[in-house]
């Protein structure tokens, strides 16, 4: 495994791991029982992806439970707290669209038989792209219903889309080892998201898509405050019993 | 408005190619699109199906128990519809 | 529908009784005694409520699961419980009640769920103990329900039982890992078993001579075995399993009775059972509050989807009327 593929697997794996964790927080709190099942399905798909990706880099549990916050390479978008259902759906829309476009490209990349790491990534993408297509569909269906539902749901969805907009720029920061045209990816993402928002009678959010801080963002290990608490909860038990197996 | 505005849908699953769709159960969904998706999550999360139908429960017309006799009894007295009705000498094959 | 005369009522009852006696299944549109219907609604609803309230104690550990493998298993299990709730609500709905009605009754305390879920999950080992003991007790209760006289309930239970067997095994495996792990892990497992053992025995309900609904349910073949019979079966299964786990069941009176061919066990604290049932368990308030809050906070979402569906349906009607633009009044 080359360093650049480590970087790629870690970035994509952390995205999946962290978003899966956030979706797992919904268990027992979903707005309707059918949605308990749907959100858990998505969370389980993502967790499965995370385990494959992290295992390309090292021991999945060491990586998930023993790294410090600054060593995580996920984007800030996926670590954002669930908020209300509209925030969760907006986060899903932004992220699953990105993931579908990205994995679609990785899955159809030219094979390079000698390059094992790259082939592993391609194999994962080929399986994951089907899963994330479903995640995107789920997000799209709900965006339409919340955006074009009641005045209250419209307002909530609009607020959520606006609030998370500032985290969407980071998705297109090139990741070492991920060999795609990032500009084109971003353009496609914008087209796709705009079309869904338009059908949902929601305006495309305005304002910056990144923060002004030069320290960077999630891909540089710079996270938002709530992420530390999320990790504290996630890692506490594992860290309390060093060396134990479960 | 409450979930009662989410109608009941009956779900039919084709478990594999070559078999017909079989009734699996029901669920609530606001519309057909969501009903299909909910059905996928609920009734096929262990690879139980390759195809799904969802039907609004209200669209199903059922034979009523009062009509049970006229509906089903006539066929009960036509044993000649069933292969076991016919006696074939032992040893005759491919029948 | 034509009025049912006294005569035809008797004739229907005879058909129903004969079907039950012949071990045939009763189906939704068959005539059935009102009391049979009411008993089923009560029991299936309570069962469905138990599944969805039962998500809470385990979901409590999803975010803290100690390995990614355990986390995936636990998420899938809690998801299954939501699924089981849905299968069961759908079975109840064939009896002419709506899920909303049943949820309202749960939220307002007019219908119950299994008292076992009014106990807290204090450590990770509790997740294992729930899988092994609580799901184990549930399976012992539920396997005979696969042959229940009411068709939709029996079919739902077949599906549920198939899926539950994974629940019990994962719990046992999780406990085994702890029991064979570090001394701290072993102690955690023993502590969990100590806390969950007696409440699990209570899951089979009051002793036979005090059970209010048992006799009639047995006659109707909704229920196939008595509470005490099932409880004994469960104890007999658990004792050797506990030995393999290397854990002790917290009952000094537990010993093999050669004459009976069963394990004798100590006296259950029925005062605790009745108190928890009345609402004085450690988590009664918390469980129902969380359920109610999820439902209330989800109202705007459900309304939005219904409103969208109504708009779409209007738009489609508009399309069908020859795309003439606005519908005429």
């Amino acid at each position: 495994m080359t360093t650049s593929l480590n970087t790629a697997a870690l970035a994509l794996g952390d995205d999946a791991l962290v978003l899966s964790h956030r979706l797992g927080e919904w268990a027992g709190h979903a707005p309707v029982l059918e949605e308990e099942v749907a959100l858990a399905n998505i969370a389980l798909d993502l967790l499965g992806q995370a385990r494959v990706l992290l295992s390309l880099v090292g021991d999945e549990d060491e990586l998930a439970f023993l790294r410090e916050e600054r060593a995580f390479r996920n984007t800030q978008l996926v670590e954002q707290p669930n908020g209300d259902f509209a925030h969760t759906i907006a986060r899903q829309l932004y992220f699953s669209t990105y993931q579908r476009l990205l994995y679609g490209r990785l899955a159809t990349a030219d094979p390079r038989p000698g390059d094992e790491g790259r082939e592993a990534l391609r194999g994962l993408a080929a399986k994951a792209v089907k899963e994330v297509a479903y995640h995107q569909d789920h997000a799209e269906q709900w965006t339409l219903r919340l955006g074009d539902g009641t005045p209250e749901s419209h307002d909530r969805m609009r607020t959520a889309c606006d609030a998370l907009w500032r985290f969407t720029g980071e998705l297109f920061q090139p990741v070492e080892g991920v060999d795609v045209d990032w500009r084109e990816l971003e353009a496609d993402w914008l087209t796709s998201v705009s079309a869904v928002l338009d059908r949902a009678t929601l305006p495309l959010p305005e304002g910056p898509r990144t923060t002004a801080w030069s320290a960077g963002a999630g891909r540089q290990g710079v996270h938002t405050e709530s992420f530390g608490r999320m990790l504290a909860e996630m890692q506490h038990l594992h860290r309390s019993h060093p060396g134990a197996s479960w | 408005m409450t979930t009662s505005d989410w109608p009941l849908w009956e779900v039919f699953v084709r478990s594999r190619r070559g078999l017909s769709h079989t009734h699996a159960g029901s669920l609530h969904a606001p519309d057909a699109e969501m009903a299909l998706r909910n059905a996928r999550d609920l009734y096929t999360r262990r690879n139980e199906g390759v195809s799904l139908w969802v039907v609004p429960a209200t669209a199903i017309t059922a034979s009523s128990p009062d009509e049970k006799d006229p509906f089903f009894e006539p066929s009960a007295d036509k044993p000649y519809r069933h292969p076991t009705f016919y006696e074939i000498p032992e040893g005759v094959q491919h029948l | 529908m034509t009025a049912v005369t006294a005569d035809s009522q008797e004739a229907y009852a005879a058909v129903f009784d004969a079907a039950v006696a012949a071990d045939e299944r009763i189906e939704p549109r068959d005539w059935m005694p009102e009391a049979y219907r009411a008993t089923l609604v009560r029991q299936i609803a309570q069962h469905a409520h138990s599944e969805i309230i039962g998500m809470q104690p385990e979901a409590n550990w999803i975010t803290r699961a100690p390995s990614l493998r355990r986390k995936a298993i636990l998420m899938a299990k809690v998801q299954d419980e939501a699924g089981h709730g849905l299968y069961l609500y759908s079975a109840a709905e064939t009896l002419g009640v709506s899920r909303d009605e049943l949820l309202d009754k749960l939220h307002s305390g007019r219908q119950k769920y299994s008292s076992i879920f009014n106990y807290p999950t204090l450590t990770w080992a509790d997740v294992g103990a729930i899988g092994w003991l609580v799901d184990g007790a549930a399976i012992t209760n539920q396997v005979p329900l696969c042959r229940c006289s009411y068709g939709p309930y029996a079919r739902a239970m077949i599906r549920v039982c198939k899926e539950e067997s994974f629940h019990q095994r994962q719990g046992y495996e999780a406990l085994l890992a702890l029991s064979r792990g570090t001394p701290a892990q072993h102690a955690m497992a023993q502590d969990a078993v100590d806390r969950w053992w007696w409440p699990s025995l209570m899951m089979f309900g009051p002793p036979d001579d005090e059970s209010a609904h048992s006799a009639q349910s047995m006659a109707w073949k909704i229920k196939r075995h008595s509470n005490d019979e099932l409880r004994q079966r469960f104890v007999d299964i658990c004792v050797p399993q506990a030995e393999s786990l290397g854990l002790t069941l917290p009952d000094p009176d537990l010993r093999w009775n050669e004459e009976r061919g069963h394990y004798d066990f100590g006296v259950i604290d029925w005062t605790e059972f009745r108190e928890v049932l009345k609402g004085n368990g450690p988590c009664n308030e918390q469980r129902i509050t969380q359920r109610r809050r999820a439902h209330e906070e989800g109202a705007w979402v459900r309304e939005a989807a219904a409103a969208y569906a109504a708009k779409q349906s209007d738009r489609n009607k508009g399309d069908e009327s020859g795309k003439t633009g606005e519908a005429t009044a």
Side-chain angles (χ1 to χ4, degrees), chain C residues 78 124 128 279:
Chain C
V78 173
W124 167 252

Side-chain angles (χ1 to χ4, degrees), chain A residues 12 42 51-52 56 67 91 126 155 185 201-202 209 238 244:
Chain A
L12 305 184
I42 297 171
R51 295 182 65 189
V52 172
L56 292 176
R67 268 182 302 160
R91 193 180 60 198
D155 289 347
L185 184 74
T201 71
L202 293 163
R209 293 188 33 229
H238 185 97

Side-chain angles (χ1 to χ4, degrees), chain C residues 149-168:
Chain C
S149 62
Y150 188 58
Y153 191 25
R155 291 192 285 278
M157 289 320 301
I158 290 172
R159 206 173 252 278
V160 169
C161 284
K162 247 192 234 165
E163 300 183 355
E164 286 275 350
S165 57
F166 128 62
H167 295 183
Q168 195 191 10

